[in-house]
Amino acid sequence: MKPIVTLTLNPSIDDTAEAEVVRHTHKIRITNEQHDPGGGGINVTRVVQELGGSSIALYMSGGTTGQMFDELLAAHNIPRRRIPIAQSTRVAHLVYERSTGLEYRFIPEGPEVSEIEWKRCLYALKDLDWDWCVGSGSLPRGIPESFYVQLTELVIERGGNLVLDTSGKPLELALERGGITLFKPSEGEFAKLVGRPLPTVDDMVPAAKELIASGRVKMIAITMGGDGALLVTSDNHLFLKSPSVEVKSASGAGDSFVGGMVYGLASGLIPEDAFRLGVASGTASVMMPGTQLCQKADVDRILEEIGAHQHNW
């Protein structure tokens, strides 16, 4: 299989730490500080690598924080293609409050990029050899909302498959263009997209079927946090409840799901089996603290459990 290429336009250094109590005004003493390379596509690449696949992370970085970001990727042995930018890579903060078990996340908007900088990402994609491309995460300032439309057209022209995990107007425009292989919203994002409440799986299935029938997307995987996930294709749908595990952090769970599912699809699994691998990967991720992602041993164990408790609707 060719490497899966992931595109991260607004990556971040994820700084995680723990505190006994988080209070305003007072100095908050933190422990167990850790830095990880983050951002949707970066996390997907890390998961694909962890599961034994091959992936290349294409991303933009700049400034002194960009240098640190590059070093973190190197420390994780992540194959990568860097697009340099003038402004600095953002730093996100996650603080786990031990006294309550709550997480506090602080996510900056990130740098503003120029037209020539973001267009270099598309040029770089044309140079790489791939069949599957994952576009994941938010758009930094300076990139037009139509960017994912341009990405879709590039992938279609290439004869490849596009996996899209984003939201808002950039997503709406890409879906209007059509030609997406896999779209992964949360249940809230999907309800907002279709413009009506979708409180149950029975409500979600026909809405997803309608979108697929329009030809804009081939399959939709809707994640529902601790309640499970739903896969809808043109001729089938499958709902899986989330296995019961100890949740340490929800950070990166959606990206882990995408990493597991796209690895399965790129490896030749049928969509239902790739979906099971995605659910197992997302579930294994919440077992890890902070921004740490899933571990293969946990994924393999959960995958066995999911296979035994599948639910076809």
Side-chain angles (χ1 to χ4, degrees), residues 112-291:
E112 183 170 3
V113 301
S114 68
E115 181 177 2
I116 192 169
E117 289 171 340
W118 63 258
K119 282 189 172 179
R120 284 176 181 152
C121 292
L122 298 176
Y123 300 147
L125 271 176
K126 294 180 180 180
D127 290 339
L128 296 171
D129 188 22
W130 48 271
D131 289 329
W132 286 83
C133 175
V134 179
S136 181
S138 62
L139 298 180
R141 293 171 296 151
I143 296 186
E145 293 180 327
S146 62
F147 176 85
Y148 283 124
V149 174
Q150 298 182 52
L151 176 62
T152 302
E153 291 174 345
L154 186 157
V155 174
I156 292 173
E157 180 182 344
R158 181 72 170 264
N161 295 280
L162 176 63
V163 178
L164 198 56
D165 182 12
T166 189
S167 60
K169 192 65 174 181
L171 169 65
E172 294 174 15
L173 293 174
L175 285 172
E176 287 176 12
R177 166 59 179 84
I180 298 166
T181 301
L182 171 64
F183 159 46
K184 190 222 75 73
S186 67
E187 56 181 326
E189 290 168 341
F190 189 60
K192 184 177 181 180
L193 177 70
V194 302
R196 63 181 186 272
L198 300 171
T200 69
V201 168
D202 288 337
D203 296 312
M204 295 177 199
V205 171
K209 289 275 189 182
E210 182 180 346
L211 192 58
I212 292 170
S214 71
R216 289 177 282 179
V217 59
K218 292 182 179 178
M219 62 187 90
I220 301 173
I222 304 170
T223 52
M224 294 175 272
D227 293 330
L230 172 68
L231 171 69
V232 182
T233 65
S234 60
D235 56 3
N236 193 20
H237 55 279
L238 172 65
F239 173 75
L240 291 176
K241 290 184 66 66
S242 295
S244 179
V245 298
E246 181 185 359
V247 177
K248 294 184 178 178
S249 174
S251 179
D255 298 331
S256 293
F257 175 94
V258 173
M261 185 164 181
V262 71
Y263 172 56
L265 292 169
S267 300
L269 296 181
I270 62 172
E272 292 79 7
D273 286 342
F275 175 66
R276 292 185 181 97
L277 182 56
V279 171
S281 301
T283 303
S285 180
V286 304
M287 299 167 58
M288 304 299 293
T291 53

Side-chain angles (χ1 to χ4, degrees), residues 67-82:
Q67 295 175 18
M68 180 179 177
F69 186 83
D70 301 337
E71 292 170 2
L72 289 170
L73 288 178
H76 282 77
N77 296 314
I78 295 177
R80 57 203 179 275
R81 178 79 174 267
R82 173 180 177 264

